[in-house]
Amino acid sequence: MTSGVACDHEQGWKIATFAILRAMSPRLLVIVKALAVLLVGAAVAATLAPAGRWDCGPAPVIAPSLVAGRVLILPGVGNTRFHLAGFVAAAEAELPRFDVEVRPWGVPFMTIHNLRAHERNVATAEAIAAEIADWRRAHPDAPFYLVGYSGGGGMATLVTAALPDGVSIDRLVLVAPAISPDYPLGREVMPHVREYTVNYASERDLQVGWGTRTFGTIDRKNTASAGAIGFAVPHERLLEYRWSEADLAVGHAGNHLAYLSARWQAAKLLPVLDPSVGPSALRASWARTCKES
């Protein structure tokens, strides 16, 4: 639930954003629009780029799961849904009996504000955790997968840590999470995860490398995040996926937007949503590589 005060606060940020855009000079506005087009273009290129000279062999056949459950996806600091539409469609095809939802947790397009609004983010994480606890009481045996992208990965970490004692999700999936690498995952998070946690990281990712060193992580530390360099302390149920040049063949060049590549998601991300895939099978799917044709 969102209080009237919170609604007024968010509406104020939206009004301020539009006021800033209106106050921009035409030349500056053109530059801003050009940058936006470049970002969207990069996302589309990452998603639709052809396989080129790489032969990845026959695509694995994914049978839709008959298991019923829920996937909750927390987006990046921009708090928009459209950039995750391809991932949502693929998840819904793979999990037709799951409820798949993208849940914004901040003010749309207010990226730096959302990243740095620590008190609000903690309160939001606690509210989402309480909602998950209610769902778990109603569905004690159904799988619940929490997925976080970028800033949403940091939020997903806070949400899991905020779950009440005795309440767990099944899998935590962190894609380039803006959370500090020394976050106490073993103590705060893993007791609330039944199966395993997956962290996808790339040292080429400027947003969660240089960006979080400059503006801070979700847990307010100025450092390269776990989405860039991984978590500092290993855990037996933490699976770390580190970007390598082998990912180029499936459309991932190591940057932040490349996680939106449909080919990369199919090869490396979507298997983690298969209820029948355990850690060994997931690692095996990650190990499959393409050959130059």
Side-chain angles (χ1 to χ4, degrees):
M1 295 180 65
T2 305
S3 67
V5 173
C7 288
D8 290 343
H9 177 73
E10 294 189 3
Q11 185 65 21
W13 275 103
K14 292 176 185 177
I15 292 171
T17 301
F18 293 130
I20 291 170
L21 291 174
R22 286 196 300 269
M24 286 182 179
S25 67
R27 184 175 181 182
L28 183 57
L29 194 56
V30 168
I31 293 173
V32 171
K33 289 181 178 178
L35 288 172
V37 170
L38 286 173
L39 286 173
V40 173
V44 172
T47 305
L48 301 179
R53 56 193 174 87
W54 297 100
D55 176 16
C56 299
V61 178
I62 300 176
S65 172
L66 299 179
V67 177
R70 186 178 179 191
V71 176
L72 181 61
I73 306 166
L74 303 183
V77 290
N79 277 274
T80 58
R81 293 183 174 91
F82 65 86
H83 65 295
L84 296 175
F87 175 66
V88 170
E92 289 176 336
E94 182 175 331
L95 303 169
R97 299 189 62 201
F98 272 60
D99 174 24
V100 181
E101 177 192 357
V102 178
R103 174 74 61 84
W105 46 272
V107 185
F109 303 108
M110 300 299 292
T111 55
I112 303 303
H113 168 68
N114 292 330
L115 180 68
R116 298 171 66 88
H118 183 63
E119 291 185 4
R120 188 201 67 192
N121 290 342
V122 169
T124 301
E126 291 173 348
I128 296 174
E131 177 190 326
I132 293 173
D134 289 341
W135 188 92
R136 177 55 78 202
R137 281 189 282 270
H139 308 85
D141 300 318
F144 188 107
Y145 302 155
L146 181 58
V147 181
Y149 170 71
S150 188
M155 284 296 293
T157 306
L158 298 185
V159 168
T160 308
L163 289 171
D165 291 343
V167 175
S168 298
I169 60 174
D170 292 87
R171 298 178 188 175
L172 174 62
V173 184
L174 306 175
V175 183
I179 195 80
S180 63
D182 61 352
Y183 189 87
L185 210 67
R187 184 180 73 245
E188 300 292 339
V189 173
M190 298 309 292
H192 297 290
V193 179
R194 287 176 174 175
E195 295 185 59
Y196 53 84
T197 292
V198 178
N199 181 52
Y200 293 89
S202 170
E203 292 189 21
R204 286 192 177 186
D205 190 335
L206 293 179
Q207 278 88 336
V208 290
W210 173 87
T212 53
R213 283 198 302 269
T214 303
F215 299 107
T217 60
I218 285 289
D219 54 331
R220 304 312 309 128
K221 293 187 178 181
N222 291 83
T223 179
S225 72
I229 62 175
F231 284 99
V233 179
H235 189 280
E236 59 183 2
R237 289 186 292 113
L238 170 64
L239 284 67
E240 297 250 39
Y241 183 94
R242 306 296 182 97
W243 181 90
S244 73
E245 290 189 356
D247 290 283
L248 292 171
V250 285
H252 195 321
N255 60 73
H256 204 60
L257 290 175
Y259 287 105
L260 303 179
S261 163
R263 287 186 289 117
W264 181 85
Q265 289 178 358
K268 308 299 182 180
L269 179 58
L270 287 171
V272 79
L273 297 184
D274 185 340
S276 68
V277 171
S280 297
L282 182 60
R283 289 191 178 99
S285 73
W286 286 350
R288 285 195 291 270
T289 59
C290 303
K291 298 179 181 179
E292 287 191 81
S293 60

